[in-house]
Amino acid sequence: MNAHSGVAVLPRHPRAAADARHVLDRITPEGHDEVDMAALLLSEVVSNAVRHAEGPAIEVAIGYDRRAGVVTGAVFDTNPRMGAGARSSRDEPDTDETELETGRGLDLLDAVAGAWGVATVGDHGKWVWFQVHAA
């Protein structure tokens, strides 16, 4: 089998990013650039959910396609809105928002992810997802 995946429901706590990386570690091999970059992005997206979302938990879903060298990560939280400065990888950066603390993690997604976006689930919350491809 060339594809692996994992899902975890994590407490919305500062340790959630480390717990999410453990899920990533269980399904991906070490020493691959796409896995290292995915760990960075996963930490950022989980940290944003912990800091800005509501509710007691977040959900993390990770997929790894070994043949294609693609890691897909997604984080669900119960806040259907993105904070100020939010944009998808298809939007142009807003130069007026460079001073805002929110949005810096989105700049990281823009720089590192092959693709990323936000999928809302009605008024129940949102998935923030990303893909990292092998070099």
Side-chain angles (χ1 to χ4, degrees), residues 2-4 34 63-72:
N2 289 313
H4 302 279
E34 69 272 17
Y64 178 62
D65 183 334
R66 186 180 327 191
R67 183 176 294 146
V70 176
V71 178
T72 302

Side-chain angles (χ1 to χ4, degrees), residues 7-26 38-62 74-77 130:
V7 176
V9 176
L10 304 173
R12 205 178 114 244
H13 186 275
R15 289 188 303 262
D19 294 341
R21 288 191 306 273
H22 290 301
V23 175
L24 179 69
D25 290 343
R26 285 196 305 263
L40 174 66
L41 295 180
L42 185 63
S43 294
E44 182 62 35
V45 174
V46 168
S47 295
N48 284 346
V50 167
R51 182 170 184 201
H52 299 291
E54 302 163 354
I58 59 172
E59 187 171 346
V60 175
I62 301 165
V75 177
F76 179 81
D77 66 65
F130 62 86

Side-chain angles (χ1 to χ4, degrees), residues 73-135:
V75 177
F76 179 81
D77 66 65
T78 58
N79 185 349
R81 293 168 298 164
M82 292 289 284
R87 61 184 185 279
S88 74
S89 60
R90 294 171 296 281
D91 294 336
E92 292 297 318
D94 185 346
T95 55
D96 292 338
E97 295 176 358
T98 56
E99 297 299 317
L100 292 175
E101 185 173 340
T102 57
R104 290 182 183 157
L106 302 180
D107 290 339
L108 185 61
L109 284 167
D110 280 341
V112 176
W116 72 274
V118 179
T120 58
V121 183
D123 61 352
H124 300 290
K126 69 182 170 302
W127 285 96
V128 177
W129 63 270
F130 62 86
Q131 286 188 327
V132 179
H133 303 268

